[in-house]
Amino acid sequence: MTRTQTAGSATAAAIDDARAQGRAALVVYLPVGYPDVDGSIAAARAAVESGADIVELGLPYSDPGLDGVVNQEAMQAALEGGTRTTDVLRAVREVASTGAPTLVMTYYNPVLRYGVDRFAADLAAAGGAGLITPDLIPDEAGEWLEAAEAHDLDKVFLVAPSSTTERLYLTVAASRGFVYAASTMGVTGARASVGPKAEALVAATRAAGAERVCVGLGVSTGDQAAEVAAYADGVIVGSAIVRTLIRPDRDRDAALEDLRRLVGELAEGVRSARPLTSGGPRR
Amino acid sequence: MSEQTPRSAAETALRDAVGPYFGDFGGRFVPEALIAALDDLSTAWDKLSVDPRFVERLAALHRDYTGRPSPITEVPRFAEHAGGVRVFLKREDLNHTGSHKINNVLGQALLTEQVGKTRVIAETGAGQHGVATATAAALFGLECTIYMGEEDTRRQALNVARMRLLGAEVVSVTTGSRTLKDAINEAFRDWVANVETTNYVFGTAAGPHPFPALVRDLQKIIGEEAREQLTTRIGRLPDAVVACVGGGSNAIGIFNAFLDDPDVRLVGCEAAGDGVETGRHAATISAGTPGVLHGAKTYLLQDEDGQTIESHSISAGLDYPGVGPEHSWLASIGRAEYRPVTDAEAMEAFRLLTRTEGIMPAIESAHALAGAITLGRELVAGGADPAQTVLLVSLSGRGDKDVETAAEWFGLVDSDAPTGEHEDGSTSA
């Protein structure tokens, strides 16, 4: 039980709202700047309208070590299109105005370069909820932990099937908003199945004190979302959503239609997982 | 310069720095998924490195397989161009597989056995580390996958064939800039997915802890041998030690034994490509800023948003926008100095050593030779007695792999003859 997890967190509140409806939250990832900055904002807003509870906006990075091919290529295109860190902050402002808690998922170096405290201040001012940091573990996060505290932001750290019990405790204690459970050992990208390790990891993370655990990596369909929603507090979908935006014909309206359809299917998935009577996840 | 300077107390010795931090640099900026594997490696290495059976096995491999100790060679005809000072080369070019890379991979192959894994992966730029890793994998019966940027597989086609002959799978990386940095990204992605069976044999003294310290420990034999050889030969330590720095493993390997001898200058030569002022270079410490890349806080080439800037160098092995964190630290405390050396300066040094001594250096190592030329002249201009001035240069690798690049640079390619066709393997001696 960690008291810091709830205080002031709109992300936590959104997950709790979903739980009150007897379902898991749907968390959607989109990289800013793909197909361009305005296009990514439109996509994120469409995702919220179609049932996403929480949005993760990716800050494109030149060396995204935890991302699979789809996200890599989208980020590279975003950078080639001239996307800047300040564009990400603008996107946060526009997406957060929908009311959906909006997190930034970013590798550490762009934040370090911008200035950790300055980034936190500007993110908070834009209405952002916090950061998800795939290559920053709490052990190395001193500066970010301070800045998050000072600006009342969520700190979403990752746990993995390889995390030891000791590290689960450490990561849970440092996190606010939710804990991001990486379903498999691997990079982002759609997979045929989410894998058996995710459920055990969620249980172990809860045992280490986490109140909210969302599962990401490999979820791409409504059925998979339903499967994960049966044991997790939130289902995170990234590459599969990004893929709807990749169209050789560059027809943006058609892309947004596909995105809405997929998010709608995923939103149904998280609702079909368990009957309302079963209440929230057991801990 | 006095006789051997007494080393400072063990607890404060620079050469014993263990990480994860070197001053403000280093650390582990990697996904949580890899932390358990990095912890396992750290623990295994702490145990193994002081295990007498391991020390003996590695020593036997160095002696019987690599051909260590590598000699030191005085090069007086070359030294005439360096102000007439005395120049000694530490001959890592004579090692099996042709460079210092073998020192690291043999140790890491033993470590792979120790942690019970059956597969190794590695990144490679010029192909030297890939060839060395494939060699160790063949020797130890390990499965082996090498990641190499598509751009580099084209530049170093012969080394790709060499790795495949050794039984390795070579994956051509087509993401990002398609060079070394992207090969490292791809190797990390493989490692995250396959960490239960696979050890990542990192090629240089960079990356997340424990790699900088681990690779340094495996490369420090270069400096330890050279220190003893030179002391035996001339009865004193050198005035300066010069080495090229990409990631920086041969440099940290030769510097280590001299870190606590404050009278010995340590000079790292970074690749300045077309010149630092052109922006087309790989001079990370000379022209970069601190940040995080490939798991460590260190100097790197980045734009104002923290995006990595692609590096440029004629030498694929130095063509890297980051550098090992220990070098960043040594630069920040002023213990070592880092200087830029352009493609043109390096190629002139390549030509000089080849013509005056009959030793063809790797283009990487030619950067160190160019640095020695400049330094020797500076010292003599500053009043040093050339006969009493001694430079030790790390000749980290041999130039066989660079013949085509050098022939092109010097205009020796017959324009009628299709280039590269002789490199089908049939001529390798």
Side-chain angles (χ1 to χ4, degrees):
Chain A
M1 192 72 168
T2 50
R3 68 192 154 70
T4 51
Q5 281 212 345
T6 14
S9 171
T11 309
I15 293 170
D16 291 349
D17 283 352
R19 183 184 293 164
Q21 297 168 30
R23 65 176 178 91
L26 176 62
V27 186
V28 163
Y29 166 91
L30 284 160
V32 174
Y34 190 80
D36 56 28
V37 177
D38 288 333
S40 58
I41 292 168
R45 297 180 73 109
V48 173
E49 286 161 15
S50 309
D53 298 295
I54 296 166
V55 177
E56 297 177 5
L57 290 177
L59 195 158
Y61 178 53
S62 53
D63 295 273
L66 194 65
D67 277 293
V69 176
V70 171
N71 288 353
Q72 283 173 46
E73 288 182 353
M75 283 192 196
Q76 200 177 332
L79 290 174
E80 282 164 7
T83 306
R84 305 286 312 267
T85 302
T86 47
D87 293 319
V88 175
L89 292 165
R90 173 166 78 85
V92 167
R93 188 177 293 281
E94 302 221 14
V95 176
S97 69
T98 61
T102 304
L103 297 151
V104 171
M105 181 148 185
T106 180
Y107 291 87
Y108 191 45
N109 197 51
V111 175
L112 195 60
R113 185 69 170 154
Y114 193 90
V116 176
D117 188 72
R118 185 179 155 227
F119 190 91
D122 289 357
L123 179 63
L131 287 187
I132 304 172
T133 50
D135 67 345
L136 186 66
I137 54 174
D139 324 41
E140 303 283 2
E143 212 181 339
W144 159 236
L145 295 176
E146 268 180 45
E149 185 76 23
H151 300 283
D152 195 25
L153 292 167
D154 290 332
K155 304 158 289 181
V156 178
F157 292 102
L158 277 69
V159 293
S162 61
S163 298
T164 59
T165 304
E166 188 190 351
R167 292 203 58 79
L168 289 178
Y169 273 93
L170 177 134
T171 307
V172 168
S175 298
R176 194 190 93 167
F178 62 89
V179 177
Y180 187 131
S183 66
T184 51
M185 297 296 287
V187 296
T188 60
R191 288 181 176 77
S193 79
V194 177
K197 288 177 178 170
E199 186 168 2
L201 177 58
V202 170
T205 307
R206 288 206 179 109
E211 292 181 50
R212 296 165 198 85
V213 185
C214 300
V215 171
L217 300 197
V219 183
S220 62
T221 66
D223 286 347
Q224 286 175 330
E227 180 196 327
V228 172
Y231 56 82
D233 302 300
V235 180
I236 305 168
V237 186
S239 309
I241 309 268
V242 177
R243 215 163 34 188
T244 62
L245 300 177
I246 303 174
R247 291 180 67 98
D249 65 5
R250 296 172 185 272
D251 182 338
R252 293 205 179 175
D253 292 337
L256 282 185
E257 272 317 298
D258 287 350
L259 180 144
R260 286 176 197 276
R261 198 174 307 121
L262 176 60
V263 175
E265 177 192 322
L266 294 164
E268 258 176 58
V270 298
R271 282 167 175 79
S272 67
R274 45 179 185 247
L276 273 165
T277 48
S278 77
R282 299 273 81 89
R283 281 186 291 280
Chain B
M1 176 100 208
S2 61
E3 291 293 289
Q4 292 191 33
T5 319
R7 284 168 168 161
S8 41
E11 63 269 26
T12 58
L14 295 175
R15 72 195 159 93
D16 292 331
V18 290
Y21 275 91
F22 301 91
D24 290 336
F25 302 98
R28 298 194 296 183
F29 295 86
V30 294
E32 166 67 22
L34 290 177
I35 296 297
L38 292 171
D39 278 340
D40 285 351
L41 267 187
S42 291
T43 308
W45 180 240
D46 288 348
K47 236 170 55 191
L48 205 59
S49 58
V50 294
D51 179 341
R53 281 167 308 172
F54 168 80
V55 172
E56 174 43 40
R57 269 185 90 188
L58 186 59
L61 284 168
H62 281 330
R63 185 184 62 235
D64 305 333
Y65 190 71
T66 306
R68 301 201 75 90
S70 64
I72 55 170
T73 304
E74 184 164 14
V75 284
R77 276 169 45 77
F78 172 81
E80 283 172 24
H81 300 271
V85 301
R86 299 184 72 182
V87 176
F88 290 84
L89 306 181
K90 177 59 173 167
R91 300 292 304 279
E92 294 300 300
D93 61 316
L94 296 178
N95 294 341
H96 179 47
T97 72
S99 81
H100 69 293
K101 295 293 187 187
I102 192 78
N103 304 331
N104 174 37
V105 299
L106 291 175
Q108 290 212 49
L110 287 171
L111 183 57
T112 302
E113 276 192 349
Q114 176 73 19
V115 294
K117 295 180 177 175
T118 55
R119 175 173 178 261
V120 288
I121 56 172
E123 84 292 347
T124 197
Q128 293 302 92
H129 176 58
V131 167
T133 305
T135 300
L139 178 65
F140 284 79
L142 298 165
E143 210 186 314
C144 179
T145 302
I146 305 293
Y147 289 93
M148 190 169 185
E150 189 186 37
E151 201 59 33
D152 293 329
T153 60
R154 254 200 304 271
R155 289 196 277 197
Q156 301 286 344
L158 194 62
N159 269 343
V160 173
R162 200 170 280 161
M163 289 182 264
R164 289 184 174 144
L165 287 169
L166 286 159
E169 178 197 7
V170 180
V171 177
S172 172
V173 176
T174 57
T175 54
S177 61
R178 304 170 184 224
T179 59
L180 177 59
K181 84 172 178 70
D182 307 284
I184 294 175
N185 292 337
E186 208 54 37
F188 271 116
R189 292 181 186 115
D190 179 317
W191 204 28
V192 171
N194 299 296
V195 70
E196 278 176 26
T197 60
T198 299
N199 189 30
Y200 185 2
V201 177
F202 208 74
T204 190
H209 179 73
F211 290 122
L214 164 62
V215 176
R216 187 268 325 272
D217 286 351
L218 290 168
Q219 292 292 4
K220 68 184 182 184
I221 191 169
I222 303 172
E224 286 172 352
E225 283 179 6
R227 195 176 197 278
E228 194 182 319
Q229 289 165 322
L230 204 58
T231 309
T232 304
R233 184 85 63 91
I234 62 170
R236 49 164 286 196
L237 296 179
D239 295 285
V241 179
V242 187
C244 65
V245 178
S249 69
N250 93 88
I252 206 69
I254 197 164
F255 286 176
N256 183 262
F258 301 96
L259 280 178
D260 297 293
D261 300 305
D263 293 337
V264 178
R265 277 174 77 173
L266 303 175
V267 181
C269 299
E270 299 191 302
D274 294 345
V276 167
E277 69 289 348
T278 67
R280 290 177 51 83
H281 62 83
T284 310
I285 294 176
S286 307
T289 47
V292 166
L293 178 65
H294 293 145
K297 195 175 274 186
T298 191
Y299 276 87
L300 63 131
L301 303 179
Q302 58 181 331
D303 70 13
E304 52 178 316
D305 278 356
Q307 308 293 347
T308 310
I309 295 174
E310 280 174 42
S311 55
H312 293 275
S313 170
I314 191 170
S315 141
L318 303 182
D319 200 352
Y320 178 59
V323 67
E326 194 172 357
H327 286 296
S328 293
W329 173 57
L330 293 174
S332 72
I333 61 172
R335 178 59 192 99
E337 55 198 288
Y338 296 84
R339 301 173 160 207
V341 171
T342 62
D343 287 354
E345 291 168 327
M347 292 312 291
E348 175 58 13
F350 175 99
R351 189 188 66 82
L352 271 177
L353 187 73
T354 306
R355 290 294 187 87
T356 58
E357 304 284 350
I359 298 171
M360 194 179 294
I363 296 176
E364 289 80 7
S365 319
H367 286 70
L369 293 164
I373 291 171
T374 308
L375 182 64
R377 288 175 182 169
E378 272 173 23
L379 291 171
V380 172
D385 176 358
Q388 296 302 318
T389 302
V390 177
L391 305 184
L392 172 65
V393 181
S394 176
L395 199 74
S396 53
R398 60 177 172 242
D400 305 30
K401 69 184 174 58
D402 295 319
V403 167
E404 196 172 343
T405 306
E408 241 169 72
W409 178 272
F410 294 113
L412 304 177
V413 181
D414 187 343
S415 55
D416 296 338
T419 58
E421 226 175 63
H422 59 291
E423 291 199 343
D424 59 2
S426 60
T427 61
S428 49

